[in-house]
């Protein structure tokens, strides 16, 4: 069943627009509508569910869910099976949403290893619930996102981590050399449902929408076939959770703005930039109280008041270049994580060909390069390029297994006898030999370029 059939035959058009629903109208003295502005209060929010289930909105949500793919939820349904399911059941689901009777399914628990040895728990909703969450997001985000603080950068249209990093860089350049680096303790796992719903109820009048949002917050977690209740937290894994986090944390953002602070926040990572350590300590104490009102806790092990050049933000650090210009760099932690991943992909004991390893690098390195491309440290990228190609040469050597085989293969590549003899006659380790002039002649960088191994440094 194709997508067009699902859309045209089974997604009924929403009800005619209700007066006051949607954007706030600006009317001139003659009674004519002259423009629109984002809605910030309860006005015009009592019929949002009609907008959620409108045919065009659900179609857009379906397209997004299918594009994002993702694994099945607790019911096992795949993204590809969703259109056919909607063909048979959408009319009933739509009416349940309009009547406020729809009940979200439990999420499937998935654990992702973290760098510090712990795990990050994800809650994977069913594909149907991902569709409904996406449809809700498409209605709420255009309405409320314009009201969020300009200092908030995470999970917002037209904003990204690079914008937050550049803002932080400018604050430091302006002389605010101390940072209040705040990390919230297990933020997504500790969000208080009553506090969050209280904030939402101040801005959304449609009780049906509030009811289903609470349903997504309290939906159980399925683990090994057993459903466990959840009384706090907003599970990472659904499209709605990041938006709800911004709705909650915007209260702290606005208070920081009111006090005249310069800061950058990306999800639960917030950096406030001040001129002195003493000012930083005052801000840290103030933030502890502000987050406490939201029933959130600051992670004291990861948070600190420190010199801005000594702390990282979203994988980037800062250093003072010539002329006292503040520049961006990749943090040691981010570099360490990248090296560990490359070592996994280029291990010499995995029984893969050099071409297969190159294929794995083609999948990983472009994303890393795109994110860290704004770092102003070209020397680091050149060193990483050399290190990666060193590892690739070591893989080829390991496949030759013996120094005599290496001698023969190097000669086949046209390497002069003198260089081959120098590399092999005092053979000690594949790693040392991989850095010899003979191997660089046999496997120059051009070979890896032809394999498509990305370069991190600009050529």
């Amino acid at each position: 069943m194709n997508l067009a059939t699902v859309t045209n035959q089974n997604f009924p058009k929403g009800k005619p627009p209700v007066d006051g629903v949607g954007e706030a109208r600006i009317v001139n003295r003659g009674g004519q509508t002259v423009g629109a502005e984002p809605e910030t209060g309860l006005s015009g929010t009592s019929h949002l569910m009609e907008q959620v289930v409108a045919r065009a909105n659900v179609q857009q949500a379906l397209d997004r869910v299918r594009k994002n793919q993702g694994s099945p939820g607790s019911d096992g349904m795949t993204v590809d099976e969703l259109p056919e399911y909607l063909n048979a059941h959408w009319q009933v689901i739509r009416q349940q949403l309009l009547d406020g009777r729809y009940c979200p399914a439990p999420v499937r628990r998935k654990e992702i290893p973290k760098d510090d040895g712990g795990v990050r728990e994800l809650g994977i909703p069913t594909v149907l619930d991902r569709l409904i969450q996406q449809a809700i997001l498409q209605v709420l985000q255009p309405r409320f996102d314009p009201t969020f603080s300009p200092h908030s950068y995470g999970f917002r249209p037209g904003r990204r981590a690079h914008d937050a990093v550049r803002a932080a860089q400018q604050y430091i350049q302006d002389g605010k050399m101390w940072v209040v680096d705040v990390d919230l303790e297990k933020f997504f796992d500790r969000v208080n449902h009553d506090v969050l719903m209280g904030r939402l109820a101040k801005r959304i009048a449609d009780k049906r929408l509030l009811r289903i949002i609470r349903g997504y917050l309290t939906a159980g977690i399925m683990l090994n076939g057993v459903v466990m209740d959840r009384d706090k937290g907003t599970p990472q894994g659904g499209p709605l959770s990041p938006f709800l986090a911004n709705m909650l944390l915007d209260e702290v953002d606005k208070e920081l703005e009111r006090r005249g602070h310069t800061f950058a926040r990306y999800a639960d990572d917030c950096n406030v930039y001040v001129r002195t350590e003493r000012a930083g300590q005052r801000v840290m104490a103030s933030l502890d109280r502000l987050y406490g009102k939201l029933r959130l806790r600051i992670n004291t092990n990861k948070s600190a008041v420190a010199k801005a050049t000594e702390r990282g933000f979203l994988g980037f650090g800062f250093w003072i270049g010539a002329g006292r210009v503040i520049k961006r760099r990749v943090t040691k932690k981010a570099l360490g994580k990248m090296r560990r991943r490359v070592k996994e992909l280029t291990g010499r004991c995995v029984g893969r060909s050099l071409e297969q390893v190159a294929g794995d690098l083609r999948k990983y390195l472009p994303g890393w390069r795109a994110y860290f491309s704004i770092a102003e440290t070209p020397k680091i990228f050149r060193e990483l390029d050399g290190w990666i190609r060193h590892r690739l040469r070591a893989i080829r050597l390991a496949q030759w297994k013996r120094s005599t085989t290496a001698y023969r293969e190097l000669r086949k590549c046209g390497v002069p006898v003198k260089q081959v003899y120098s590399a092999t006659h005092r053979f000690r380790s594949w790693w040392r030999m991989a850095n010899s002039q003979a191997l660089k002649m046999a496997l120059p960088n051009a070979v890896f370029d032809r394999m498509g191994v990305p370069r991190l440094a600009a050529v």
Side-chain angles (χ1 to χ4, degrees):
M1 186 69 66
N2 62 40
L3 183 59
T5 303
V6 174
T7 303
N8 295 333
Q9 294 183 3
N10 294 280
F11 285 174
K13 293 182 179 180
K15 295 182 180 180
V18 180
D19 188 31
V21 176
E23 44 188 24
R25 304 291 179 181
I26 304 173
V27 182
N28 63 15
R29 292 182 180 179
Q32 296 177 325
T33 300
V34 296
E37 63 182 10
E39 194 68 65
T40 59
L42 285 172
S43 175
T45 65
S46 58
H47 295 85
L48 292 180
M49 190 58 76
E50 279 73 16
Q51 297 180 38
V52 170
V53 300
R55 181 174 61 175
N57 187 57
V58 177
Q59 173 64 65
Q60 182 182 351
L62 179 60
D63 292 342
R64 173 67 67 174
V65 169
R66 297 188 74 183
K67 180 179 179 181
N68 291 343
Q69 287 295 310
S71 57
S74 58
D75 62 355
M77 185 190 301
T78 66
V79 172
D80 293 334
E81 295 169 339
L82 180 59
E84 184 175 353
Y85 181 84
L86 293 174
N87 264 335
H89 302 283
W90 174 246
Q91 292 285 6
V92 174
I93 296 168
R94 179 181 184 275
Q95 196 59 49
Q96 289 176 343
L97 290 168
L98 289 174
D99 294 343
R101 295 183 292 107
Y102 181 82
C103 295
V107 299
R108 179 172 64 86
R109 181 177 175 181
K110 183 177 181 179
E111 295 183 346
I112 304 296
K114 297 172 64 175
D115 295 337
D116 58 7
V119 294
R120 176 177 288 108
E121 292 186 4
L122 299 183
I124 309 299
T126 64
V127 291
L128 175 60
D129 282 327
R130 294 210 293 270
L131 170 80
I132 296 171
Q133 286 193 35
Q134 181 64 35
I136 294 173
L137 177 65
Q138 291 167 184
V139 170
L140 295 183
Q141 193 163 57
R143 175 180 292 271
F144 294 112
D145 187 84
T147 72
F148 291 160
S149 167
H151 299 281
S152 169
Y153 296 90
F155 309 109
R156 298 184 60 189
R159 288 169 168 257
R160 54 180 184 162
H162 287 177
D163 299 324
V165 172
R166 288 191 175 99
Q169 179 184 17
Q170 187 59 55
Y171 297 146
I172 302 170
Q173 187 67 65
D174 292 341
K176 298 185 177 181
M177 300 296 295
W178 287 83
V179 62
V180 184
D181 185 356
V182 174
D183 181 88
L184 296 178
E185 186 176 283
K186 296 184 177 180
F187 168 69
F188 285 96
D189 297 332
R190 295 184 181 275
V191 169
N192 184 280
H193 294 170
D194 292 335
V195 172
L196 173 57
M197 293 307 302
R199 267 57 179 182
L200 293 178
K202 291 179 180 179
R203 309 185 74 176
I204 298 174
D206 193 328
K207 296 188 181 300
R208 299 165 299 175
L209 187 56
L210 293 173
R211 188 177 298 116
I212 191 173
I213 291 175
R214 181 177 278 277
Y216 281 123
L217 293 174
T218 59
I221 301 174
M222 180 170 287
L223 180 63
N224 298 326
V226 178
V227 177
M228 299 180 294
D229 293 335
R230 183 174 65 235
D231 57 4
K232 62 181 179 180
T234 171
Q236 299 182 70
L240 197 55
S241 292
F243 173 77
L244 295 178
N246 279 332
M247 288 285 284
L248 180 64
L249 295 176
D250 187 59
E251 181 175 317
V252 176
D253 295 344
K254 294 296 174 54
E255 182 60 24
L256 289 174
E257 284 182 354
R258 190 186 68 80
R259 299 180 185 185
H261 291 301
T262 52
F263 64 97
R265 181 178 66 81
Y266 193 96
D268 56 330
D269 290 329
C270 183
N271 278 12
V272 185
Y273 294 88
V274 295
R275 296 187 182 278
T276 66
E277 182 179 11
R278 185 176 179 182
Q281 296 293 351
R282 288 198 301 267
V283 172
M284 179 66 83
S286 178
L287 283 172
D288 190 43
R289 291 191 295 271
L290 289 172
Y291 286 125
K293 292 179 180 178
L294 300 179
R295 309 283 183 86
L296 299 172
R297 290 207 301 259
I298 293 177
N299 188 330
T300 55
N301 293 327
K302 295 183 178 180
S303 304
V305 176
K307 290 185 177 179
T309 53
E310 297 175 355
R311 301 291 292 187
F313 184 44
L314 303 178
F316 290 90
F318 305 96
W319 59 286
I320 303 174
R324 304 292 295 176
V325 175
I326 302 299
K327 294 183 176 292
R328 301 177 293 267
R329 61 177 176 83
V330 186
T331 63
K332 291 182 179 179
K333 181 178 179 180
L335 286 173
K337 182 179 179 180
M338 181 265 195
R339 284 179 174 270
R340 286 192 296 274
R341 181 57 180 151
V342 170
K343 284 181 178 180
E344 291 175 1
L345 297 176
T346 59
R348 299 193 295 277
C349 300
V350 292
R352 292 176 300 153
S353 69
L354 195 59
E355 290 71 19
Q356 289 174 318
V357 174
D360 290 339
L361 291 174
R362 285 197 300 270
K363 296 176 183 178
Y364 172 70
L365 290 178
W368 192 92
R369 179 180 60 189
Y371 182 76
F372 288 105
S373 61
I374 65 170
E376 298 164 294
T377 51
K379 181 181 177 181
I380 296 296
F381 294 141
R382 288 194 297 268
E383 291 175 352
L384 287 173
D385 280 337
W387 173 71
I388 292 170
R389 280 144 186 79
H390 188 167
R391 292 192 64 83
L392 292 174
R393 294 184 182 103
I395 290 174
R396 178 65 82 202
L397 275 175
Q399 292 169 348
W400 290 340
K401 295 184 178 179
R402 292 181 298 180
S403 59
T404 54
T405 305
Y407 186 99
R408 184 175 65 251
E409 294 296 330
L410 289 172
R411 288 292 293 131
K412 285 182 181 179
C413 292
V415 180
V417 173
K418 182 178 180 181
Q419 279 79 9
V420 174
Y421 180 78
S422 175
T424 60
H425 94 287
R426 290 186 178 178
F427 172 76
R428 293 187 180 181
S429 73
W430 297 124
W431 181 248
R432 291 184 60 181
M433 187 175 173
N435 200 39
S436 66
Q437 186 63 30
L439 262 293
K440 292 178 181 178
M441 293 175 67
L443 294 172
N445 289 339
V447 170
F448 305 119
D449 291 340
R450 288 194 293 271
M451 289 183 180
V453 179
R455 292 195 185 209
L456 302 178
V459 179

